[in-house]
Amino acid sequence: MDRIPSVDLKDFISGDPQRKQKFIDEIGKAYQDIGFVALKGHFLDDQLVDGLYGEVKNFFDLPIDTKESYEISGIGGQRGYISFGKESAKGKKEGDLKEFWHFGQYVEDDEERRKEYPENVQVKELPEFNKAGKETYAMLEKTAKYVLRSLALFLELDETYFDNYIHNGNSILRPIHYPPITQEPKNAVRAAAHGDINLITLLMGAQGRGLQVQRNDGEWIDAIAEPDELMINVGDMLSRHSNNKLKSTIHRVINPPRELWGTSRYSIPFFMHPISEMKLDVLESCIDKDNPKQFDDITAGEFLNERLIELGLVKK
């Protein structure tokens, strides 16, 4: 496989049983083979996308002192600004060549759940920044819900199996800025090879070269979306829950060629997380004599905390 398969969410929500099953089969096969798809037919429109990118660029153009005033200590980087080089991939000492922002869940119907999450951080210099983030968060969360419904059916579960786990889930929208490279990086890349922690990731901004995915044979291929597509991949939580039937694939963002070092790159992933008490125990439907249970029982909250420690965002 030399390119990421493309699927259209409109097939799944068309009301046509044959088109719906076609989508389930296509996305299921892609996630078994390589763990990534390019998705058309999502719920983002061009105006919303352009507006968010404009606000994101405005934020990262702010003076460093202003940005750092939005870096909140003691919450493991779950909200607000995370400065350049702060995050590193699992097992890697060098920090990634990026700075980023975190929008989190907007809980409006569960007071106890709202207390569980840090509050979103308001940027006073940019009155439209938080509005654009909240609207984009909602549309990506809606898109993710239907993708997970298709995967529930592929895994022989009820279609709405994931719905209650992702409602008010601990999902994160992360606008990322990879600044211009000003000197020879020492073993550092824009994002070192890693797997994602969560259920699925929806990525805006994969239209240019940079994102690469590792095939089963160890070769790296470019993951480039069309202008109307999101790149969506399986995370470790879903891979674990499905006994690795659905693959969480290692991926990276490589540095550009030297002649493009002076350019910035922006991308905006949405990490779909469930509520913390969801059990990630291996599904019975994914265990048989040829595929025995591969993972210990754990909750989503416990697994997330383990990984945040490994990434250097939370101290033991």
Side-chain angles (χ1 to χ4, degrees):
M1 182 181 293
D2 294 323
R3 62 185 299 275
I4 303 301
S6 180
V7 295
D8 192 335
L9 188 60
K10 289 178 181 174
D11 288 334
F12 184 74
I13 60 179
S14 65
D16 180 332
Q18 287 186 310
R19 287 179 65 188
K20 183 175 184 177
Q21 189 60 50
K22 172 176 175 284
F23 181 88
I24 294 166
D25 294 341
E26 288 176 346
I27 197 169
K29 184 177 190 306
Y31 282 162
Q32 284 185 306
D33 292 346
I34 198 162
F36 273 73
V37 296
L39 183 91
K40 298 180 186 295
H42 50 78
F43 295 103
L44 292 176
D45 60 46
D46 291 343
Q47 185 177 355
L48 185 57
V49 171
D50 292 344
L52 180 61
Y53 269 107
E55 291 300 317
V56 164
K57 290 174 182 177
N58 288 340
F59 175 79
F60 288 118
D61 283 345
L62 291 172
I64 185 64
D65 289 350
T66 303
K67 290 186 288 187
E68 287 182 344
S69 72
Y70 294 109
E71 193 157 20
I72 313 299
S73 62
I75 60 170
Q78 291 181 72
R79 302 290 185 274
Y81 178 65
I82 296 85
S83 53
F84 183 82
K86 182 83 48 107
E87 184 181 71
S88 58
K90 179 180 176 181
K92 192 168 172 62
K93 290 182 291 186
E94 297 82 11
D96 289 344
L97 304 178
K98 66 188 180 190
E99 56 180 344
F100 52 98
W101 179 273
H102 276 165
F103 296 102
Q105 183 61 263
Y106 300 86
V107 180
E108 295 173 350
D109 59 357
D110 185 334
E111 186 61 27
E112 290 306 306
R113 184 73 64 192
R114 193 171 67 82
K115 293 175 184 175
E116 181 183 334
Y117 302 141
E119 289 188 18
N120 277 295
V121 179
Q122 303 297 310
V123 177
K124 60 180 182 292
E125 289 84 1
L126 301 171
E128 296 299 312
F129 178 78
N130 291 89
K131 179 173 179 285
K134 184 176 183 179
E135 290 175 357
T136 305
Y137 189 108
M139 290 301 99
L140 288 168
E141 190 171 46
K142 182 178 179 181
T143 300
K145 178 174 75 173
Y146 285 100
V147 171
L148 286 172
R149 284 182 176 182
S150 74
L151 296 177
L153 292 169
F154 183 75
L155 294 172
E156 301 174 24
L157 303 167
D158 290 338
E159 181 171 342
T160 57
Y161 169 82
F162 288 103
D163 282 20
N164 286 335
Y165 294 126
I166 62 174
H167 177 65
N168 287 331
N170 195 17
S171 300
I172 292 285
L173 179 63
R174 173 189 279 191
I176 304 172
H177 175 221
Y178 303 100
I181 298 171
T182 57
Q183 59 186 26
E184 187 75 41
K186 294 181 179 179
N187 299 319
V189 293
R190 285 183 158 175
H194 65 283
D196 291 344
I197 301 170
N198 42 294
L199 291 172
I200 57 174
T201 300
L202 292 73
L203 177 65
M204 303 166 58
Q207 278 71 41
R209 289 198 69 224
L211 176 64
Q212 293 188 328
V213 175
Q214 192 171 38
R215 296 189 313 208
N216 292 334
D217 62 4
E219 291 295 311
W220 292 92
I221 64 170
D222 290 325
I224 301 175
E226 295 297 322
D228 62 344
E229 291 178 330
L230 299 171
M231 198 65 71
I232 306 186
N233 63 281
V234 173
D236 291 347
M237 287 185 182
L238 185 56
S239 177
R240 189 183 187 106
H241 201 36
S242 69
N243 206 31
N244 209 30
K245 183 174 183 176
L246 305 177
K247 301 287 192 300
S248 177
T249 305
I250 298 297
H251 51 285
R252 66 188 183 186
V253 179
I254 59 172
N255 297 333
R258 184 178 285 269
E259 62 269 22
L260 296 178
W261 276 13
T263 60
S264 285
R265 177 187 173 95
Y266 298 88
S267 66
I268 307 178
F270 177 76
F271 301 111
M272 169 58 83
H273 283 264
I275 53 177
S276 58
E277 61 267 33
M278 179 185 180
K279 292 181 178 179
L280 298 179
D281 305 1
V282 172
L283 292 162
E284 291 295 327
S285 64
C286 297
I287 301 172
D288 57 39
K289 61 179 174 44
D290 296 321
N291 299 285
K293 181 180 176 181
Q294 299 182 47
F295 303 102
D296 294 333
D297 296 347
I298 196 170
T299 67
E302 291 165 343
F303 184 68
L304 174 61
N305 192 59
E306 283 183 6
R307 290 296 298 274
L308 291 177
I309 291 171
E310 292 170 347
L311 294 174
L313 291 174
V314 168
K315 304 301 180 188
K316 279 188 179 180

